[in-house]
Amino acid sequence: MVYKSPNKGMTVIVKTVTRLTLAFILIYGIYIGMTGGVSPGGGFTGGVILALAFVHIMLAFGKEAALRKLRANTLRMVMGPAAFIFLLGVATGRVPEEIGAICEMVIVGTGLFAIFIALVLASKSDRNSE
Amino acid sequence: MTPQALVPYMIFVPLAAAFLIPPFGKKFKRAGDAIPCAASVCVTTLGLYLASSVALSKVLVHKPYGWQAPFGTAFVVDGLSGIFLVAMNIVALVVAVYSIGYLNTYTDRWKFSSLFMLMLAGINGVLISGDIFTLYVFLEIAAISGYFLVAFGIAPDGLEAAFKYAVMGALASVFVLLGIALIYAHTSTLSIAGIASVISVGQQTDVLKFATVLLLVAFSIKAALVPFHAWLPYAYSSAPAPISAMLAGVSTKVLGIYTIMRIFFVMFEMTPQVSMVLIALGVASMVVASILAFVQVDIKRLFAYSSISQIGYVALGLGVGTPLAVFGALFHLLNHSAFKPLLFLASGAITRLTGTRNLGKIRGVMKDSPVTGTATLVGSLSICGIPPLGGFWSKLIIILACIQAGRPVLALVAVVVSVLTLAYYFRSITQVIFGKSVIRGQREGAVTVSMAIAMVTLVIISASMAILLLPNTGNAVLKEAVSVILNGKSYSAMVAGVLK
């Protein structure tokens, strides 16, 4: 289990809280993503929350742990098709609204997480792993 | 499907290609080459079809999701965007074919293909958008993928150039956005046709004048007219050759000149002040850039400065503003988007042949690679204005139009700059093509089949551009675009009528 590396990331308090809240953040993100219309929410907001869940792992456990959970390769493989299905929905209007919302969530979530990864990898000092 | 319903596919097809390349491009190398070419062929065919439908029905309007006129967005194709759609997508197709061979020394080519398709989607989006905010969004898509593509080689000079381009481009984008915000605050609509009808009722207020200045500066940065040209020589010379060709042939034309035509001629009424500014920018670009071109030692920088100078001709023609001058400007723009990509593609082949961009060291390309030599020769002859080629006719029309409009000084400047162009091309390029060969770089397989096909295609196109002057064929197409530029109000009325 990736969480068992005591030297990396932040203190044990943060790690424990992250471990406990992670599932709730993910569920909340999906809930926000799937609602919309009359209530606050929508694919974009939900995607942001999903991305924040992984950013949370990265801050608490270090970038290796987060990248082991969700590899850059996976991001690429998921993001392209999701964007394609979303575009198909825009073009034809035949894709159900729920699937469109899920795709938007995936696009925004993977996109934001990819940007965060890029910023972390591009930073000079390697603070996360110390 | 009706032609109207097909209009947004000009954006959907390249976008879909851009999204499909990442999952497949890394595993299947061929997919990363085949998908952009296939998408470009589709879009070019579609562009030709739309342009031919425009010839029948004057204007095609697509309203997505049935939103009504002042609130919803609309995609519009008219004579002006039709001719641009065809020309720009043909250039993009040629560049896509060229990059199959050119990029075989690069890693991560799927990233290039994906960004290239995003750029094409942005370009087509700018051309078909019927409201200024959609135009801004697609302008940003095209510009941002451009910044990344300039840096694609990850050489230090490429990264520096991309940074300069990104800073200047971001400044221009902020100006565009501020200008759009002011116009929206003033007119309460974003649709180009709607704004045109609102403004024609009211007077020119200070807010609109300020917005005009902002937009004029922003689009001059995008078109790299002289006081705003600083990013261009860096970006063109350091980018990979296909991207230099794409920026020179498509990006500056659409993001700079087409938007100037659309905003200042069709949306706003052309005022004497704006036309004076356009003439001043045009003359400055022509003169300054062709003098600076004399001292260049880098072949791609030479082409970059000559590109600025030729765009100056277009701005001059638009500024003079008589029907003949606008016709000449449009024709020169189309010529330039045929022969400048040709020169940049040839410069890429030359760089691979000799391993250098230094004009003093490249000699005798014609003997080592006849295709590349011919391409450089035809491109240079056309840009210098040697009679049978397109460049001669368009410069002649612009000069005649200046005389006809009672501005002999401008005509004189145009003639002098034309001579200067001939002089610096003669001085720099003659040895490159015909000199004694002293080759050092990789010789075997430097010019691949796909690169040769692309260059030959552009040679044929730029040699036959004069067809557009023949009456009843190409001439009618150009005349239609000119009438859109000159009779902006009637265009707006027509679009507004369809939107109602």
Side-chain angles (χ1 to χ4, degrees), chain A residues 76-77 80-81 83-84 87 90-92, chain B residues 12 15-16 19 22-23 26 65 110:
Chain A
R76 198 184 72 233
M77 296 301 281
F84 181 70
L87 184 74
V90 175
T92 62
Chain B
F12 290 150
L15 264 189
F19 296 147
K26 199 172 184 184
Y65 314 118
W110 59 273

Side-chain angles (χ1 to χ4, degrees), chain B residues 397-458:
Chain B
I397 291 171
I398 291 176
I399 292 165
L400 287 179
C402 287
I403 295 171
Q404 197 190 44
R407 301 187 175 208
V409 181
L410 294 178
L412 186 68
V413 171
V415 172
V416 168
V417 171
S418 185
V419 174
L420 283 177
T421 310
L422 182 62
Y424 66 72
Y425 267 91
F426 190 73
R427 173 175 168 273
S428 310
I429 299 297
T430 316
Q431 286 295 310
V432 166
I433 300 175
F434 297 112
K436 198 164 168 248
S437 171
V438 276
I439 210 151
R440 265 183 307 277
Q442 53 163 138
R443 194 167 185 170
E444 288 302 313
V447 181
T448 60
V449 179
S450 80
M451 288 162 74
I453 292 173
M455 285 190 285
V456 168
T457 315
L458 276 184

Side-chain angles (χ1 to χ4, degrees), chain B residues 236-237 239-241 244 298-304 344 347 351 357:
Chain B
Y236 281 18
S237 61
S244 308
D298 180 331
I299 185 166
K300 286 177 85 176
R301 278 185 85 93
L302 174 83
F303 291 156
F344 273 115
S347 81
T351 315
R357 295 200 313 239

Side-chain angles (χ1 to χ4, degrees), chain A residues 3 12 29 50 60 65 124 130:
Chain A
Y3 302 145
V12 70
L50 287 190
K124 262 186 193 161
E130 283 161 17

